[in-house]
Amino acid sequence: MSYMDFADYYDFLTENVNYKNLADYLEQVFERYKHNTGITLDLACGTGSLTLELAKRGFDIYGVDMSPTMLSVARQKAYESGFDILFLCQKMQSIDLYGTIDTCICTLDSLNHITNENDIKKVFEKVSLFMNNGGYFVFDVNTSYKHQKILGNNTYVYDLPEVFCVWQNRISANNIVNIDLDFFEKVENTYIRRCEHFSERSYDTDFLKENLEKNGFKIIDIFDGWSFDAPTEQSERLFFITQKVK
């Protein structure tokens, strides 16, 4: 799962994500809990849009992602904006950093892309290993409600100037949604088809809480999406705010 083809179209397909608003929210989170972000890791940073937005706001930040093609886009963005940001090509469950961090952010349901429970546990272990005591690990996850009711066995079509995309979902066991993407890009009078496949898994809050606590993280709050509202049964995204306490 390299996201090789997805990287070329990721920014087009996520134009609805307002990274400035997300950066605003993260700044509000850290202000709310009086946390000095210090050295910050953007885990599963993708094409670096959020990493760059936070760097522009003065964050001492770098990014990690498993996809070299995603990181190629991220590096180009940073270069064109005049920022020298470090990007490391590593899997979330096996990060090997050069030093400790004070903050780790992981957004846009990146953790859902890990479908093996043991790998999720390894992510928490690795983040904890490199996290200074008192540091904050904040992340969001898609909920089972979103997987069942929104993604479901549905098909979505994106007719964009840059690409025509057919997005097909199939629900399988263990709260896993299998996703097939077909990209059709027009080159002169011919359409070139490229395909990508990946899966998302939703995790029970109790499972996440148990494994966070095993790795020294205390859950400070859980919110409905990028807000400060309490979650509901119809919440599509949960935002976890945790602190390394031991």
Side-chain angles (χ1 to χ4, degrees):
M1 185 172 58
S2 66
Y3 303 97
M4 183 174 295
D5 292 318
F6 195 23
D8 289 339
Y9 308 114
Y10 182 82
D11 287 340
F12 298 131
L13 295 175
T14 58
E15 284 182 334
N16 62 316
V17 178
N18 190 319
Y19 288 99
K20 290 186 177 181
N21 284 352
L22 177 52
D24 286 344
Y25 175 67
L26 290 171
E27 286 190 314
Q28 291 167 20
V29 166
F30 298 131
E31 182 179 351
R32 182 186 182 105
Y33 299 98
K34 297 179 172 58
H35 173 60
N36 181 359
T37 53
I39 299 177
T40 301
L41 171 65
D42 187 359
L43 188 60
C45 64
T47 60
S49 295
L50 181 59
T51 323
L52 180 57
E53 180 61 35
L54 291 173
K56 291 177 179 177
R57 298 174 184 223
F59 277 64
D60 184 359
I61 191 168
Y62 64 102
V64 165
D65 200 274
M66 66 168 284
S67 169
T69 48
M70 289 279 197
L71 292 179
S72 178
V73 177
R75 290 190 183 99
Q76 185 64 27
K77 284 182 185 177
Y79 173 77
E80 291 175 354
S81 297
F83 283 84
D84 184 15
I85 300 175
L86 175 66
F87 290 103
L88 302 176
C89 189
Q90 299 178 356
K91 292 184 178 180
M92 283 189 278
Q93 61 268 38
S94 55
I95 56 173
D96 187 11
L97 308 181
Y98 298 124
T100 57
I101 56 177
D102 303 293
T103 307
C104 179
I105 61 175
C106 187
T107 59
L108 296 171
D109 51 90
S110 294
L111 287 176
N112 293 106
H113 287 242
I114 297 179
T115 58
N116 183 290
E117 286 187 357
N118 289 328
D119 284 341
I120 282 286
K121 295 175 183 179
K122 290 177 183 177
V123 173
F124 293 162
E125 289 173 7
K126 287 294 187 177
V127 173
S128 177
L129 176 64
F130 292 100
M131 178 73 71
N132 289 321
N133 284 337
Y136 272 62
F137 177 29
V138 299
F139 61 89
D140 64 37
V141 288
N142 282 340
T143 63
S144 295
Y145 174 84
K146 181 174 181 178
H147 280 191
Q148 295 290 330
K149 302 298 183 182
I150 307 301
L151 297 181
N153 291 303
N154 295 318
T155 297
Y156 299 95
V157 175
Y158 298 86
D159 188 1
L160 305 173
E162 298 81 5
V163 66
F164 183 87
C165 174
V166 179
W167 181 308
Q168 301 179 79
N169 302 317
R170 292 173 290 107
I171 293 181
S172 61
N174 297 323
N175 292 318
I176 292 176
V177 175
N178 297 300
I179 300 169
D180 291 301
L181 300 178
D182 290 294
F183 302 105
F184 300 88
E185 183 177 4
K186 189 173 184 180
V187 179
E188 296 181 349
N189 295 320
T190 303
Y191 279 92
I192 297 176
R193 180 184 180 185
R194 298 162 69 183
C195 303
E196 189 78 77
H197 170 81
F198 56 89
S199 300
E200 280 200 11
R201 178 176 179 176
S202 58
Y203 289 93
D204 183 84
T205 299
D206 289 338
F207 168 83
L208 297 174
K209 180 179 180 180
E210 176 185 353
N211 287 283
L212 285 163
E213 291 178 346
K214 282 183 179 179
N215 289 285
F217 288 104
K218 176 184 177 182
I219 295 180
I220 304 298
D221 269 314
I222 303 175
F223 294 120
D224 180 2
W226 302 332
S227 75
F228 295 108
D229 298 328
T232 69
E233 292 183 357
Q234 287 77 42
S235 292
E236 298 179 21
R237 184 190 303 272
L238 299 180
F239 192 88
F240 283 72
I241 299 170
T242 77
Q243 184 179 30
K244 175 78 178 291
V245 293
K246 61 180 178 179

